[in-house]
Amino acid sequence: MNIEGYVRDVDNNDLVVSAEIPNVFYKKVTIPQALYNKPFSIPIDVLADGIPPGRHTITVKVVDPYNFKDERTLNVNVSYRLRNKSFILINTPVDITTSYTDYEGDPKYQDRYRYDHDPNFFDNSMGIIGDSGLWRTSQYQSFPYSGVYTATFQARDNPRNDDRFDEYRLWSRDNLSSMTFMVHRKPIALFSAKLTGGWLQITDSSYDLDHIKAYNKGLMDWQWQYKKTGSEMWMDGQPPAQLPTAEQYDIRLRVRDVDGENGAGVWSDWCVRTVGSAGNLPPVALFTVDPNIVSYRKSTTVTDKSFDPDNDPLDVYSWTVVKDGWQQVWSHWGGAATPPNIAAYGVGTYQLTLQVHDNRGLWSEPYSQIVQVMNHPPAAAFNIPSEVYRDTVIPLENLTPDPDGDGDALSYGWNARINNSGYYYTSGNRSPVMTIRDLIANYGISQQQAISDGWEMRLTASDGSLSSNATRMFTVKNHVPTAEINGPTIVYQHDSKTYYGIDVDEDSSDAGSLQYYWKITDSDGTTAMYRTANINIDFPDTGTYTLEHWVVDQIGAKSNVAKLKVDVIENQAPAITLTAPAGTVTNPTILDAELQGDPLIRWNYSDPENDPQEKYRLEFFSKDGQLAKTVENTDSTGGLRQYQVPNPTFERFAIFSLYARAYSKGSWSEVSNEKAFIIDNPPQAGFTLMTDTGRNAAAVPIYRTDVLQITSTATDQDIPKGDSIKHQYFLKSSSGTEGMASVQESFTKQFTSNGIFTLRQVVTDSLGLYRELSQNITVVNRLPQVTITYPTSTSAANPTIVSTLTPVIKWDYQDEDGDVQQRFNVRIINLASGAVKIQSGEQVSGAKQWQVPNGTLAENEKYAVEVEGYDGFGWSNVSSRKYMMVNLLSIKGAVQHTEEWNSNRQAYNLKKSGDAESPRGYTVYWAGEKFVLQGTATGLPDTVQVTMSGGYTAQLSPTGSDKTKWTGELADPSFEQLPDGPVTFTFTATNEFHTKVDTVTVTILGDWSEYYQSHRVK
């Protein structure tokens, strides 16, 4: 619309005309030189300018350059007719227009409305309307909460003004009787303005509660205006960055949100700030709360945005927090502070009020905001297919946010109803799966009643204290059955055929209750009706028959009528073909009298009309063409295709031929093809196995030296009739392949290796029948025998004494099979510990001796010796043990002077020659000297005895436990008379195993007095 009028000014000044709806609309135009009446026009576009519904007062003001003014007012009503996908403000009056028509002309009986509310479409959900998703009898005139709404309208007709026929009053199902619209809140313009040193500082904090999380806070346009405080007209745009500090300015801002057509929504109220003054301006209390609507389980944050237009410091903050209009839950008076978490005080509506004081003594106006702490009710929502059938598996897609906005876990209840019935409980699960068939079974709903477009499903979601509902309408439809006939279209006279109704009803609820209809019209026009699923029809006459078939389900829906024309033609004779036995007269089948006996006759049967076989006849002929046997049997099943000749019926080893005929519907077939057979007695296999040593190889093992005689005992009953048999023998070792051994009836065999051999005899008669017999023959090796010949001792207590650490072990070897020794193994065992001292290991050799390596045996240890021999097939048993011990007994004698007499000898020599060792060497003694004896021994002798010429003896004693040094003396008064000449000392060492000797010869020259005489001469 246009605001139109006229203005004038007696001073002929330029005039400014403005039109304003406070906090909603402001526009102005300039009228130049208005000395006389000059018209003006200010356009208003309700949509583009965001004029909300309601009664508005428009102030039209005219101002001259000297700020003189005149103004008038006019009123305008803006009404809002709700349209699909439109935006409206909360608590704004709306009107939904409806219309009603009925095809039968029935009057309208009742209206109902349903509003499905999604409270979470916008940020800062305000809650959900209490009857969201439920039917109500009246419209909402306005909506208190933000969100997306889907409004559904249905009208109910009244075909008869009689409550007894209430079930026939039907609700409309028009899908056009619903619309979706968005209910939102006005944006909020908010800013601070300071003037410092002539510089203007503006901070914008505007927002839209519906889009507080968006990067642009849900705003699409900002309208700034300013003027000197005393001026009547506003100037568009932001004020300049520099303003005179001595003058006072008013600045105002409004913002526009995005919730409208083409993203252009409604304007906020104006936010007005004043800056600049010769005196002191009061401060401005300002704060934001995030969020303004908060869950009782979450928290709020209060941010102080208070300021002083003069940039004076703020020194006192006065806060009050009042719950539900009467209960003060928090207050503060003092330095800068903000309220704590408002949600902590519980569910309720809180008014937060702030006043601030500057340090120059002025208080701000009180500034308040409302914070709502709430338990968010669940927002029930779900999807269901709009059309289903009784057997459709319906997944109920639950779209309810779980947990809800408070984090509460939810419980659910699903209920369905049809038309005006009560509700049927369906499930308590979050996302159940159901079928209409389940409801029919559980609540006694009739199949006919279930087919309706009046079904609705209601979901109730609850957090334990609050709940919400969602309702969806859906249609249950019926599948119309289909009919089809399955059966032959060409038959033969006298046939009896079954025709099947191939009937399909996609509703399994109906499949078992279909009603079947058949109409049969024969070749002469006679009709017959049947009520069975399938029918069996006899065709006694040729011609054309017409079959018609249809079905009706329990809802009363009739299928298509299926038709089938059947042509009946004249009957023809069957045919028979013999298939077994397969032989012919020139090449008859040979039957094994034991395994098969008399023949099993088989044949193939066919009939052009597929008539079943009713009886058959078999005729058997001997070699000379005489009829030997006839068999004729009936076939009640029509499926016989074989006959077993009883055993024994026919002579053995004789040829027979046979023919067959089949009978069906009064006609015998032509004679079949000819077949022939011979029943043959098979040969019987058998043989004996005897060696030249009298061993039965079938019962006991034999040896390689044995000569085996294989003698056949095979027979055949038909030999007197001219039959004959031939022999084959096959031999196989346990790990080898089978090979031909002989084709003679009997033969001999000598084996060259050991093991288990299988001899298989195959005997075959002249007609090719054969039998076979297998026998295992075990050829074993006789193990060699080993006897140790050195060492010879068989007693561990009295072992053979060995005088060397590398003795040669010797043994004898015998083998009954004549096998030579190929390997040996010698073990020498320490008898004290039982451990193997040394062993040869497996030596590949035919030698019968082995020398013990040096450095392996120890002296005076007793050893057991064992030997094994290998003949190329197996090892002998361990030989009997022989025993030995190494003892290396030795003695080395020495005859010495006493120290005194050795000194005398040397003194004598020095006197005689000046040489201590000449002329009397160390081995020269004076008669009468004492002989000092010393023996050096090995082999731990038990005693060492010295015998001197003349029969004098002395026992030496060991100087230590190792018995290597032995000492002693030999002296006698008679030694003074020893004649000059040699004297022999025999050293004898003895232990329990050995005796060893050593001789030492010295010389007697003079007697002991000679030395003293010589000495006195000196």
Side-chain angles (χ1 to χ4, degrees), residues 1 3-4 18-22 40 55-62 70-76:
M1 72 173 200
I3 301 172
E4 297 179 347
S18 67
E20 181 175 12
I21 302 174
F40 67 87
R55 180 179 177 83
H56 301 284
T57 297
I58 303 176
T59 299
V60 181
K61 181 187 299 183
V62 58
D70 189 19
E71 61 184 40
R72 296 288 186 273
T73 61
L74 62 90
N75 294 321
V76 62

Side-chain angles (χ1 to χ4, degrees), residues 694-743:
R695 290 175 175 270
N696 182 0
V700 297
I702 65 173
Y703 307 112
R704 298 195 309 280
T705 55
D706 293 339
V707 177
L708 182 63
Q709 176 66 45
I710 297 98
T711 302
S712 173
T713 60
T715 62
D716 191 304
Q717 295 182 37
D718 296 329
I719 289 177
K721 297 180 180 181
D723 205 353
S724 62
I725 60 175
K726 61 181 180 178
H727 292 75
Q728 288 178 303
Y729 291 91
F730 300 90
L731 189 65
K732 177 185 180 299
S733 65
S734 59
S735 60
T737 58
E738 187 178 66
M740 177 70 74
S742 177
V743 294

Side-chain angles (χ1 to χ4, degrees), residues 123 167 195 243 269 402 444 450 554 744:
D123 295 343
E167 64 178 301
L195 191 60
L243 291 174
D269 294 340
D402 190 352
Q554 61 183 324
Q744 299 178 10

Side-chain angles (χ1 to χ4, degrees), residues 641-709:
R641 298 294 183 267
Q642 66 181 33
Y643 171 77
Q644 175 65 59
V645 178
N647 192 32
T649 296
F650 296 107
E651 179 185 358
R652 274 40 179 164
F653 205 66
I655 186 170
F656 293 91
S657 58
L658 74 146
Y659 302 89
R661 299 182 74 185
Y663 178 85
S664 177
K665 290 190 176 179
S667 299
W668 281 100
S669 70
E670 296 295 327
V671 175
S672 72
N673 54 325
E674 183 184 33
K675 295 294 182 182
F677 61 90
I678 298 174
I679 305 173
D680 184 20
N681 286 307
Q684 302 299 316
F687 58 90
T688 60
L689 300 169
M690 294 299 294
T691 68
D692 58 346
T693 58
R695 290 175 175 270
N696 182 0
V700 297
I702 65 173
Y703 307 112
R704 298 195 309 280
T705 55
D706 293 339
V707 177
L708 182 63
Q709 176 66 45

Side-chain angles (χ1 to χ4, degrees), residues 575-624:
I576 187 170
T577 303
L578 288 170
T579 59
T584 64
V585 173
T586 58
N587 185 24
T589 296
I590 308 302
L591 300 176
D592 191 314
E594 287 184 355
L595 302 180
Q596 298 164 288
D598 285 83
L600 173 66
I601 312 302
R602 289 194 176 97
W603 62 88
N604 289 332
Y605 170 86
S606 62
D607 186 273
E609 305 88 3
N610 293 321
D611 296 330
Q613 173 182 277
E614 297 178 18
K615 56 183 176 180
Y616 62 90
R617 178 187 299 154
L618 304 174
E619 295 177 340
F620 299 85
F621 297 89
S622 61
K623 183 178 181 181
D624 58 6

